[in-house]
Amino acid sequence: MSHSKIPQIPKTVYNQTLTGHFGKFGTGDNAQIFFVQTGLQPKQLDKVSLVSDIRGSEKWQVRDLFQREVDDDRVTESILPYFQDPNRLKFFNPLTLTFLPIDEEFPHSANSDLKVLKEHNITEGDTTWTVLEDEGKFRFKWLPDTGRYCQLEWNDTNVKLVAIDGQHRLSALKRFYDDPEMSQVKSDFLSWTIPVVIFGVMAIDSSKNLNTILDSVRKIFVYINTTAKSVNSTRQILLSDESITRICTQELLQQSHANDCEDDDAKKNNNLLPLLFFDWRGVEKRGRRVPSEASVKDIEEIHNWLQVYIIGEDFSAKQETAFSIDDPSHPLNSAFKKRALTQAESELVRKVFGETVLLGLSHLLNNFTPYRNYVKALRALEKDKLQKSDHARHAFAELRFGVHHGSKLHFKAIRDEKEEIIYDILDIKAEHIGGLVELDIGMRGVVYAFGKLKAHYESWSKSSVTWLDYSKWFTETLNRVYDDGWFNELNTEKKKLRRHITHSLTGSVRNYRLEDARKALGALLLTLVAGYSFKSPSSYPSEQQWIPFRTDLLDGTISSTLYAEYRKEARAELKDKLEYMTDPKKLTTDSNAIAQERTADHIASLIDLLEKI
């Protein structure tokens, strides 16, 4: 009895093909770009994806999320009507496309190191091709002696052809092609050839530092978008690997991003600030920023905290101190001398920041009472929602990352669930993050005091302390200040003592700008944290340290702020009285006298309250 063998299916390495003109750019940063200029027919648009279409791409590291979310309003109201208008002549720049490896089980596979690709020849029939190939992913093969005619081949199960520049045009083109109602004007569209440039990147020398694929693609994206229309400030912060303050901002955000991407609940830190805390995606509608409804602070504000209050401007002396780069042998010392970062030095900045300042700042933000309570309530909300509906999982994903992978059949249910979650989060914010903490002025004062007080603490203790150990002391004491009502707008005693420091006589917020913290709420919180700590047994400062510290802040910095505001207040009270209308000099003299008296009374009240702690 004979048995038939199951026939083998021929193995197809590459299942997609385009033809065009091959070229290369000059080398740099141990890499080289090679490309094909070609065109796509509208029916071929399904060969191209948006980065957001790659399942798992939302879990890439923060700095690799270089693509902006598509502004649907811009596509609907501007680009698509332009394409569809039969009376308008059409032209646009080529879409810029590249290949990204895909592995849904391992979404970070797209960020593997660049490979060294060796140019070689292959013969097919009577034709000899010159080839650059990442085997199993893509192959560029061209004929140098025929105007560089090129055949580009790739395997779409291993790589995605994605738009690096022109994603809004691509989105509009796809919608035009898929619209069944546009049959009358689509005949012309179907004859279009859509210009594209498809590029690859290869490493030059494997013995030198290798960039990753996403590092290289991100740099190209940034260059394209800064030589044309600059990306918005949020995207600039998240994409830069040349600015120390921006890199550090990325690392703070990445901590929450990585935690919320953790699939194993046992490994997730539920005490860490959730990604929803940050407005970090830089979403735009019709060219305008659209804040995230669920967020507490935008990423620009976090960046400003770091730059103005904690680590200082790039390559400044303050940064050297923050990172302890006083030793000439420190590996970042040369970067500070030349005021520029190599890729390797950028990675070192991430490491140094992660082991020093980040530990302290993260402890402060995660353990400051109102934020800690907010995190606890938000995690409880998420747990409750996820137990009731799988739609909630997709809704939370969209709120965090701007994308979800739910079925189109359930889009309405997911959208409704998202709206309900937003209302719940707004309630949580209102309950736990109120008073001064809700306003920019509140955390600007806190972070200023946090950044400023470390040097004093080390002076008092006569020792160098880590950012984490310092933060534990600072945060514990700050929470006592918070619990005592200093941030509470309903605490009339404390609010009266904050008059002209955080609010005017009429109740409007004053001294809220970043630079104002040093002379207003930041200076007050310096005094309060040190004062509350002084009243704690076995803590710093000692009495000999506390009195001059308090005097310097109250009789100096805070007194100057109060005096300036009380003088304005006194002039407003006196200027319309007859005796002052004809005597400006007397108005000035008496206003100054009243301001001095009120300032002295205010400072005395602050000292009296500090004595009673």
Side-chain angles (χ1 to χ4, degrees):
M1 182 177 180
S2 62
H3 296 278
S4 300
K5 291 184 178 180
I6 298 175
Q8 288 189 342
I9 300 174
K11 183 180 179 181
T12 302
V13 177
Y14 301 112
N15 59 358
Q16 299 291 340
T17 304
L18 286 170
T19 60
H21 179 89
F22 179 82
K24 285 192 272 187
F25 281 113
T27 61
D29 200 20
N30 193 30
Q32 183 169 32
I33 300 288
F34 48 96
F35 65 91
V36 167
Q37 290 180 305
T38 186
L40 298 175
Q41 304 303 310
K43 65 182 179 181
Q44 295 175 304
L45 287 167
D46 61 351
K47 295 177 183 287
V48 187
S49 302
L50 302 171
V51 172
S52 59
D53 292 335
I54 301 177
R55 186 178 291 273
S57 63
E58 71 275 8
K59 296 186 178 182
W60 294 350
Q61 292 193 67
V62 165
R63 65 183 187 272
D64 294 324
L65 301 173
F66 50 85
Q67 274 290 24
R68 297 165 291 179
E69 294 174 33
V70 172
D71 183 343
D72 286 328
D73 289 340
R74 178 183 166 199
V75 172
T76 300
E77 298 174 12
S78 178
I79 303 175
L80 192 55
Y82 170 70
F83 290 162
Q84 293 172 339
D85 188 344
N87 297 315
R88 300 183 71 176
L89 187 63
K90 316 299 190 302
F91 177 79
F92 49 88
N93 292 331
L95 307 178
T96 304
L97 316 176
T98 195
F99 294 109
L100 292 180
I102 54 171
D103 187 332
E104 292 189 2
E105 187 175 352
F106 302 102
H108 294 291
S109 63
N111 208 21
S112 54
D113 287 340
L114 292 177
K115 295 180 180 179
V116 175
L117 305 181
K118 295 297 184 182
E119 198 172 290
H120 62 281
N121 293 331
I122 63 170
T123 300
E124 296 177 343
D126 296 331
T127 306
T128 298
W129 302 88
T130 303
V131 175
L132 281 172
E133 180 177 22
D134 188 349
E135 190 172 353
K137 296 182 175 67
F138 59 77
R139 178 166 66 177
F140 289 69
K141 59 180 188 178
W142 68 96
L143 302 174
D145 58 350
T146 58
R148 297 213 162 198
Y149 170 80
C150 179
Q151 286 186 6
L152 171 60
E153 304 166 314
W154 72 96
N155 187 329
D156 64 8
T157 62
N158 295 330
V159 291
K160 286 279 190 185
L161 183 60
V162 299
I164 300 305
D165 185 55
Q167 64 167 354
H168 286 87
R169 281 169 278 153
L170 176 62
S171 180
L173 290 165
K174 283 175 172 278
R175 283 174 55 178
F176 194 3
Y177 183 76
D178 292 336
D179 190 346
E181 302 300 322
M182 295 300 298
S183 56
Q184 291 183 355
V185 297
K186 195 176 285 186
S187 58
D188 174 63
F189 171 64
L190 294 177
S191 69
W192 290 10
T193 298
I194 300 160
V196 300
V197 175
I198 304 171
F199 73 89
V201 192
M202 63 180 177
I204 301 300
D205 186 343
S206 60
S207 67
K208 296 180 179 179
N209 183 61
L210 295 176
N211 288 324
T212 66
I213 296 171
L214 290 181
D215 278 339
S216 300
V217 172
R218 182 182 74 250
K219 289 175 181 178
I220 294 167
F221 170 84
V222 170
Y223 181 77
I224 291 172
N225 284 276
T226 52
T227 54
K229 179 183 176 182
S230 180
V231 294
N232 65 39
S233 57
T234 295
R235 309 302 294 167
Q236 290 178 26
I237 291 169
L238 296 189
L239 298 178
S240 174
D241 53 11
E242 298 176 354
S243 162
I244 293 175
T245 54
R246 291 177 179 180
I247 290 170
C248 295
T249 307
Q250 295 165 21
E251 291 303 292
L252 176 63
L253 178 63
Q254 176 61 30
Q255 189 179 58
S256 293
H257 188 279
N259 189 58
D260 276 8
C261 287
E262 179 59 65
D263 295 325
D264 186 348
D265 286 339
K267 295 180 180 179
K268 185 177 291 186
N269 181 358
N270 286 322
N271 297 318
L272 199 65
L273 283 180
L275 196 56
L276 288 174
F277 177 91
F278 305 94
D279 180 11
W280 65 280
R281 301 199 319 269
V283 178
E284 292 184 349
K285 296 292 184 185
R286 302 171 190 168
R288 288 189 169 187
R289 279 287 299 277
V290 180
S292 169
E293 305 98 320
S295 66
V296 177
K297 293 294 179 184
D298 63 46
I299 209 65
E300 291 95 332
E301 181 74 0
I302 305 296
H303 172 265
N304 289 337
W305 290 353
L306 285 163
Q307 181 171 275
V308 179
Y309 301 142
I310 301 179
I311 64 174
E313 299 278 351
D314 286 342
F315 306 111
S316 64
K318 188 173 182 178
Q319 279 193 355
E320 289 188 17
T321 301
F323 291 142
S324 301
I325 308 175
D326 302 322
D327 185 348
S329 65
H330 192 286
L332 283 174
N333 191 270
S334 62
F336 272 73
K337 285 183 178 178
K338 68 180 187 289
R339 300 181 64 83
L341 298 173
T342 64
Q343 185 64 38
E345 288 166 342
S346 296
E347 295 303 318
L348 186 57
V349 168
R350 297 181 192 280
K351 182 175 184 296
V352 171
F353 178 73
E355 293 172 350
T356 56
V357 182
L358 177 59
L359 295 175
L361 180 58
S362 179
H363 180 85
L364 168 65
L365 296 180
N366 295 323
N367 292 280
F368 183 32
T369 296
Y371 283 178
R372 185 181 63 219
N373 292 340
Y374 156 85
V375 172
K376 184 177 180 180
L378 192 59
R379 296 295 187 192
L381 170 68
E382 183 174 10
K383 182 178 180 180
D384 179 62
K385 290 286 186 180
L386 294 182
Q387 287 176 343
K388 294 179 180 178
S389 167
D390 67 325
H391 293 149
R393 176 167 53 86
H394 298 302
F396 271 105
E398 185 168 355
L399 282 170
R400 288 191 186 105
F401 309 115
V403 63
H404 69 78
H405 298 294
S407 166
K408 289 185 178 180
L409 295 173
H410 301 145
F411 272 16
K412 183 180 184 304
I414 294 169
R415 184 176 64 249
D416 291 345
E417 186 69 46
K418 173 187 166 185
E419 294 301 317
E420 186 174 323
I421 290 170
I422 288 172
Y423 285 125
D424 289 336
I425 291 175
L426 292 176
D427 287 342
I428 288 172
K429 286 166 61 177
E431 180 179 359
H432 297 293
I433 305 177
L436 283 183
V437 180
E438 181 183 11
L439 307 174
D440 283 341
I441 187 177
M443 286 307 295
R444 287 175 179 178
V446 167
V447 181
Y448 170 84
F450 175 74
K452 188 73 173 177
L453 202 53
K454 183 173 186 288
H456 291 286
Y457 185 79
E458 290 180 325
S459 174
W460 297 333
S461 61
K462 294 183 173 59
S463 64
S464 177
V465 296
T466 66
W467 277 95
L468 179 57
D469 286 341
Y470 161 70
S471 183
K472 289 178 179 178
W473 166 80
F474 180 91
T475 307
E476 180 182 357
T477 313
L478 176 69
N479 284 337
R480 291 179 58 204
V481 174
Y482 177 85
D483 293 340
D484 219 7
W486 280 98
F487 292 82
N488 191 341
E489 292 293 271
L490 299 179
N491 188 310
T492 54
E493 178 191 28
K494 304 302 192 310
K495 187 173 182 178
K496 182 179 179 180
L497 290 173
R498 287 192 285 103
R499 179 181 167 192
H500 291 321
I501 297 175
T502 62
H503 289 78
S504 67
L505 181 63
T506 60
S508 61
V509 179
R510 64 165 69 250
N511 298 319
Y512 59 86
R513 295 173 300 179
L514 285 158
E515 62 271 21
D516 290 339
R518 63 176 178 78
K519 65 179 183 181
L521 182 60
L524 178 61
L525 289 176
L526 279 176
T527 311
L528 292 173
V529 170
Y532 276 70
S533 180
F534 167 66
K535 288 303 184 79
S536 300
S538 67
S539 187
Y540 301 104
S542 67
E543 184 171 7
Q544 291 78 15
Q545 295 163 335
W546 162 239
I547 299 301
F549 180 80
R550 184 192 72 184
T551 301
D552 183 54
L553 284 167
L554 291 183
D555 291 347
T557 305
I558 296 174
S559 179
S560 296
T561 297
L562 292 173
Y563 176 76
E565 299 303 328
Y566 276 126
R567 184 169 57 182
K568 293 177 189 176
E569 180 182 288
R571 287 184 68 89
E573 293 171 0
L574 300 177
K575 66 183 180 65
D576 292 331
K577 293 183 179 181
L578 184 60
E579 61 181 301
Y580 296 107
M581 294 175 68
T582 57
D583 192 347
K585 187 174 181 180
K586 180 176 175 57
L587 174 62
T588 298
T589 301
D590 288 1
S591 296
N592 291 347
I594 292 172
Q596 287 175 347
E597 181 180 354
R598 291 178 181 178
T599 298
D601 289 345
H602 196 140
I603 295 297
S605 297
L606 280 170
I607 292 174
D608 183 57
L609 190 142
L610 287 168
E611 295 293 337
K612 295 177 181 177
I613 294 172

